[in-house]
Amino acid sequence: MIAASGLRWILSLMFAVPVLYGVWRMVLPATGLAERADHLWHAAMGVLMIAMAWPWGMDLAALPQVVLFSVGGLWFLAAAPFRTGDRTRRRAVLAALPHVVMMGAMAWMVAAMESSGGMSGHTEAAGAHDMAGMDMSGSSGLAAMSLTGTGPRVTAVLFAVVLGGLGLSWLTRALDRTRERGTVSEREQPDGGAALEAVSQGGALSPACHAAMALGMAVMFALLV
């Protein structure tokens, strides 16, 4: 769905960050089974978001993707009350909602493009004619297609705003954690080696990867409008 090759690469690199992080966390011996499932969902999302940015991604079957991410959203929602830690169940559910939103947004995007014909014969149709609910003209120079119905376009805008807000929130959290850990490490170890080690163990990497995913998805939704 992305027409500009430069933007394709930028988004692909953004989505590759959570993919690599998710795979890394999955193979760590200390990672629990439920946490491995979390990282698997996010890594799968990143891979399919990369595919969606390229023409060959339009040839992937839509239904399995919709089912996959619908189940993923249900996983995060259903598992949250049982993974409270030092939080109340309500707070655990609230903390899981951003991940539910991301899974739901991914499922909606694939379904919207499939229902408008954008997932079938994309390479032949692009620039040739408009499909129902989808403008294939790519007149913006950035996107090869855009939604045409008022309802779908409003939904895409809402997802872009919500995901952009989530991405900025996660990015702020990552920067705050990096600064806090750096301050502590400077007191404990002048060369800052401990700071790098603390960050690499997931203190700031986790929200940073979520931020990359959410911001990249926000751009994708904005391009559909």
Side-chain angles (χ1 to χ4, degrees):
M1 61 178 279
I2 306 299
S5 59
L7 184 58
R8 284 178 186 167
W9 282 108
I10 292 173
L11 290 173
S12 295
L13 290 174
M14 289 181 67
F15 294 131
V17 171
V19 171
L20 294 175
Y21 175 73
V23 172
W24 172 58
R25 292 299 299 271
M26 279 191 290
V27 300
L28 288 179
T31 304
L33 184 60
E35 191 178 359
R36 289 180 198 274
D38 294 346
H39 293 300
L40 177 61
W41 290 118
H42 287 301
M45 179 186 294
V47 169
L48 290 173
M49 288 302 296
I50 291 174
M52 195 173 291
W54 295 86
W56 53 266
M58 297 296 100
D59 295 329
L60 298 178
L63 182 58
Q65 297 182 63
V66 174
V67 172
L68 175 68
F69 294 110
S70 296
V71 173
L74 291 174
W75 159 260
F76 281 104
L77 190 61
F82 304 98
R83 303 164 66 182
T84 56
D86 57 354
R87 301 172 297 188
T88 64
R89 286 192 174 183
R90 179 175 177 274
R91 288 185 176 275
V93 171
L94 289 176
L97 286 182
H99 304 286
V100 176
V101 170
M102 292 174 70
M103 291 287 165
M106 182 69 180
W108 183 89
M109 179 186 288
V110 175
M113 296 175 68
E114 169 66 11
S115 64
S116 56
M119 299 289 284
S120 174
H122 168 73
T123 55
E124 296 178 4
H129 63 278
D130 294 345
M131 297 180 180
M134 184 74 72
D135 177 11
M136 305 293 290
S137 63
S139 57
S140 68
L142 295 177
M145 60 181 67
S146 60
L147 298 169
T148 57
T150 301
R153 294 184 72 176
V154 170
T155 303
V157 169
L158 290 176
F159 272 128
V161 172
V162 171
L163 290 168
L166 290 175
L168 291 176
S169 176
W170 270 317
L171 182 60
T172 301
R173 191 181 310 172
L175 294 175
D176 287 343
R177 289 185 181 182
T178 301
R179 183 173 61 252
E180 291 171 1
R181 289 179 180 274
T183 301
V184 172
S185 298
E186 285 177 1
R187 293 198 299 265
E188 297 177 351
Q189 187 171 339
D191 62 3
L196 178 60
E197 181 179 357
V199 171
S200 67
Q201 290 176 348
L205 274 177
S206 180
C209 290
H210 292 326
M213 178 73 79
L215 291 174
M217 291 180 68
V219 172
M220 297 281 274
F221 273 102
L223 291 175
L224 284 176
V225 180

